[in-house]
Amino acid sequence: AASDVYKRQYPNLAGQNEQYLVSSLKAYKNKQRNGGQAAIMQGQAAGLSDEDIANLAAYYASLPADGGE
């Protein structure tokens, strides 16, 4: 199914470690993370404040990794 391709191509953010998400978003924002889809993520993270990053990380970390299934 198409959703299976999507799952293999992009990591699931739900249930990820909060500090990992914070450090990853900050690395994208500061253009310290490259390769793959980094240019897209750098653009998305560029306008985020530290508070935005903390809030996004907390939100995604709070979601069930299995999507609630």
Side-chain angles (χ1 to χ4, degrees):
S3 63
D4 291 335
V5 171
Y6 177 80
K7 287 178 185 179
R8 288 191 304 265
Q9 193 170 15
Y10 302 104
N12 184 12
L13 298 180
Q16 283 283 357
N17 177 278
E18 188 172 342
Q19 274 311 115
Y20 169 77
L21 292 170
V22 167
S23 66
S24 294
L25 284 169
K26 285 184 177 184
Y28 281 123
K29 181 178 178 174
N30 297 322
K31 297 187 178 179
Q32 297 169 330
R33 196 160 176 180
N34 300 297
Q37 300 291 324
I40 293 169
M41 286 302 300
Q42 289 169 356
Q44 295 298 314
L48 298 175
S49 68
D50 286 347
E51 184 178 4
D52 292 335
I53 289 172
N55 288 336
L56 284 167
Y59 172 73
Y60 280 106
S62 75
L63 297 175
D66 65 1
E69 295 176 5

